[in-house]
Amino acid sequence: MQLWVGLGNPGPQYAMHRHNVGFMALDAVAEVHDFSTPKKQFQGWTQEGRIGSDKLILLKPGTFMNESGRAVRAALDFYKLTPADVTVFHDELDLLPFKVKVKVGGGTAGHNGLRSTDAHIGPDFRRVRIGIGHPGHRDRVTGYVLGNYAKAEIEPLSDMLGAIAAEAAWLAGGNDARFMSDVALRLQD
């Protein structure tokens, strides 16, 4: 069993924020792979399903970004999983918009959701880094991250989320390189 966590903030006012792209990615996976309806659990919402032979629990913490790790820890303990069973989907300033990279472990790069998760389960979990680009100056980061995607970004956002969901079987099967490669191929113009 794997636990896939989307980072974001709960509530409709945050739904289209760049910071919520982790939630959006899980929603796309759940829809494409016909996961169960969301259930309130672990201070958030969970959905269960399978991708191929892999059983997955999708978790969207309802604790707000800064406390995401509490929900991840609760789910980890309940299912008796290890950090190696966890994949966290999150926005990444240091990647160009709509680029998707996967890595295991590493730092938090100032991301409060990653910082909280790291504090509760340690750094040894897999991360799906979803590029949102950088606004150019660090003084503009907060407004940018907590801002909605622009109208011109909606189509590429939709394409990227669709590619993540369509290629999720590679990720579930542990073939991170193939997942990244096939997502990138789908997004070529």
Side-chain angles (χ1 to χ4, degrees):
M1 180 186 291
Q2 297 177 47
L3 176 66
W4 286 11
V5 180
L7 296 183
N9 287 310
Q13 68 272 38
Y14 304 109
M16 289 306 294
H17 283 188
R18 289 177 186 87
H19 216 25
N20 271 39
V21 75
F23 275 12
M24 295 175 206
L26 283 199
D27 288 343
V29 168
E31 185 176 328
V32 168
H33 296 281
D34 201 27
F35 274 59
S36 65
T37 55
K39 169 168 79 171
K40 191 90 171 95
Q41 198 176 19
F42 312 122
Q43 303 169 56
W45 298 271
T46 61
Q47 291 176 269
E48 296 182 18
R50 288 188 176 278
I51 298 179
S53 61
D54 298 288
K55 183 171 185 194
L56 284 90
I57 304 296
L58 306 182
L59 170 65
K60 291 168 41 179
T63 52
F64 287 92
M65 191 65 80
N66 297 358
E67 295 292 332
S68 300
R70 287 194 349 237
V72 177
R73 177 88 253 171
L76 207 65
D77 290 347
F78 181 84
Y79 290 110
K80 297 177 176 47
L81 300 173
T82 69
D85 301 316
V86 176
T87 300
V88 174
F89 293 75
H90 66 90
D91 56 302
E92 176 67 64
L93 283 165
D94 296 330
L95 282 178
L96 290 173
F98 316 114
K99 296 293 179 204
V100 179
K101 299 286 182 194
V102 180
K103 74 175 189 173
V104 175
T108 61
H111 192 293
N112 290 334
L114 288 177
R115 185 179 292 135
S116 176
T117 302
D118 186 302
H120 282 85
I121 71 168
D124 300 325
F125 55 91
R126 182 167 61 173
R127 301 127 196 262
V128 177
R129 303 161 60 222
I130 303 170
I132 61 169
H134 198 285
H137 193 278
R138 64 185 174 100
D139 292 346
R140 296 205 311 256
V141 166
T142 300
Y144 178 75
V145 167
L146 296 177
N148 288 337
Y149 277 98
K151 270 195 168 45
E153 294 176 304
I154 298 303
E155 190 174 327
L157 171 65
S158 179
D159 290 346
M160 180 201 61
L161 295 171
I164 288 170
E167 301 301 339
W170 294 115
L171 197 61
N175 193 337
D176 299 352
R178 179 72 185 265
F179 170 76
M180 287 187 282
S181 170
D182 284 7
V183 166
L185 282 172
R186 281 181 179 264
L187 296 177
Q188 286 179 345
D189 291 334

